[in-house]
Amino acid sequence: MSCRVSAIDIGSNAIRMMVADIDDRSPTLHVVKRFRAAVRLGHDVFTTGIITPTSLEFAKATFHRYAETNRELNVLHCRAVATSACREAKNRDHFVEEILKSSGIKIEVIDGTEEGRLIHLAVRKELDLDNKKTMLIDVGGGSVEVTFSKGDKMLATRSFPMGTVRVLENLTKRNLNESHLNIIMGEFITSLGEHIYKNCDHDPIDFAIGTGGNLECLGKLKVQLLKRTPHTFLTLQELGMIIERLRPLKFKERIEKLGLRPDRADVIIPAAMLVQTIMRQAETEKILIPSVGLRDGLVWSMSAPRP
């Protein structure tokens, strides 16, 4: 018996919804439709500490549309979660109340551990992780989750405040530009290195897995810029080549020549460099891109018992 559900991910760079049919007897889910609204809550929170009235109105309009879509598509259950930007917003309770009042949709503000668990759930439904030691890298707008697992079992997860939108705001605040990204990365190396060293020094990983829109975009850029296939994995060398090709392109050129959305064009180099830094630290040469993420994990969480 299939059940129609929807999952909403309130991220730092956008608010996304996925409507899907799930069947407990089947190992797959059928995606009915995906939606995305470019509401950059991270810009507000990482510069002012609050979600501004303007962004709240944009979010309310987005949730109003999503609630209508749920009704039109006969969605039985909707789960909405907010991550890094909302977690840190001083007025997050007001934000959650206003969205509930205007749309009837209740938002859960989740921590980095739950975020890592949901992403891991999505990945293990998509890939065969049997007896494999893996490192999951989820690059978001506000944070990066780095999760280690053995087979289906999650071993350790940690959330780092080094998401792409946060990195951009950090550069702007300090009057720096893209060429200074190494300075920002360097400030996170110690804590990131400790997490990686602790979890793979004596037991190296078999491979890395990358999730989130930025990773999917980098997979497509491999085909577009390097003329290499498939888009479902990247090597460390290919990642370096993509960064080299992107660097000389101005923001406008990335939109016009590569067809990137404006809210992807400005964060794609920070995203690529974050992944490059983590892969180097873990001494891994390859990252798989299964094109699943938090929303898929949310959908599965509505059908599957907690692992």
Side-chain angles (χ1 to χ4, degrees):
M1 179 72 180
S2 74
C3 168
R4 181 161 291 182
V5 300
S6 68
I8 302 174
D9 166 14
I10 302 108
S12 302
N13 196 33
I15 300 174
R16 305 170 182 86
M17 180 167 89
M18 181 169 89
V19 177
D21 292 330
I22 43 177
D23 189 334
D24 287 338
R25 296 163 301 179
S26 165
T28 58
L29 57 86
H30 170 65
V31 177
V32 177
K33 216 159 186 189
R34 286 187 174 91
F35 305 87
R36 184 182 192 277
V39 183
R40 191 171 270 186
L41 297 179
H43 171 71
D44 292 356
V45 178
F46 306 143
T47 52
T48 67
I50 62 163
I51 295 165
T52 62
T54 305
S55 291
L56 175 57
E57 288 309 312
F58 276 129
K60 279 163 77 172
T62 300
F63 271 88
H64 178 71
R65 284 200 309 277
Y66 287 174
E68 281 191 339
T69 302
N70 281 339
R71 283 190 289 274
E72 286 164 12
L73 296 179
N74 300 313
V75 167
L76 295 176
H77 185 36
C78 171
R79 188 176 177 197
V81 301
T83 55
S84 188
C86 218
R87 273 200 291 269
E88 294 173 36
K90 291 174 189 150
N91 59 342
R92 77 180 201 185
D93 291 344
H94 175 67
F95 176 80
V96 170
E97 281 163 21
E98 286 296 303
I99 296 295
L100 179 61
K101 210 187 298 176
S102 63
S103 69
I105 295 173
K106 186 183 178 212
I107 295 172
E108 300 167 54
V109 181
I110 60 171
D111 61 17
T113 304
E114 174 66 357
E115 197 173 342
R117 187 191 75 80
L118 288 166
I119 293 161
H120 180 254
L121 174 59
V123 167
R124 66 187 177 85
K125 290 285 187 179
E126 187 70 18
L127 298 175
D128 177 11
L129 301 181
D130 278 0
N131 303 314
K132 300 282 196 305
K133 172 87 180 276
T134 57
M135 175 177 70
L136 274 64
I137 306 167
D138 184 74
V139 178
S143 62
V144 174
E145 274 65 46
V146 180
T147 303
F148 290 91
S149 70
K150 187 77 182 251
D152 281 355
K153 189 174 183 291
M154 210 166 89
L155 302 174
T157 186
R158 190 164 163 193
S159 183
F160 296 90
M162 51 197 270
T164 54
V165 176
R166 193 192 298 269
V167 167
L168 279 189
E169 299 303 345
N170 204 331
L171 286 173
T172 306
K173 213 183 292 180
R174 291 152 72 168
N175 291 317
L176 302 174
N177 58 39
E178 243 178 29
S179 66
H180 301 104
L181 275 167
N182 282 330
I183 298 169
I184 307 290
M185 303 294 166
E187 291 165 5
F188 294 104
I189 286 289
T190 308
S191 54
L192 176 68
E194 283 167 6
H195 178 58
I196 290 171
Y197 180 79
K198 199 164 84 178
N199 287 287
C200 65
D201 182 45
H202 301 297
D203 184 14
I205 60 168
D206 291 302
F207 52 85
I209 300 163
T211 57
N214 288 305
L215 262 302
E216 290 169 33
C217 181
L218 287 166
K220 288 170 189 163
L221 286 172
K222 167 185 164 177
V223 180
Q224 206 174 349
L225 295 174
L226 310 183
K227 305 290 183 264
R228 293 185 183 181
T229 57
H231 66 279
T232 50
F233 77 84
L234 277 171
T235 64
L236 192 53
Q237 183 198 33
E238 286 167 346
L239 196 52
M241 289 164 75
I242 290 168
I243 292 167
E244 278 173 32
R245 303 278 173 92
L246 285 172
R247 271 192 194 281
L249 296 177
K250 292 186 171 59
F251 174 69
K252 203 177 169 193
E253 290 177 302
R254 292 174 198 173
I255 296 166
E256 290 170 357
K257 291 185 179 176
L258 302 177
L260 298 186
R261 285 191 310 265
D263 66 338
R264 182 73 70 207
D266 61 349
V267 296
I268 196 62
I269 287 190
M273 288 184 68
L274 282 165
V275 176
Q276 186 184 51
T277 302
I278 296 166
M279 286 176 71
R280 280 176 177 162
Q281 289 280 302
E283 297 180 358
T284 185
E285 292 295 320
K286 186 176 177 180
I287 185 162
L288 304 185
I289 307 166
S291 292
V292 295
L294 182 59
R295 283 175 299 171
D296 303 78
L298 277 172
V299 166
W300 284 117
S301 77
M302 288 182 258
S303 74
R306 287 176 72 96

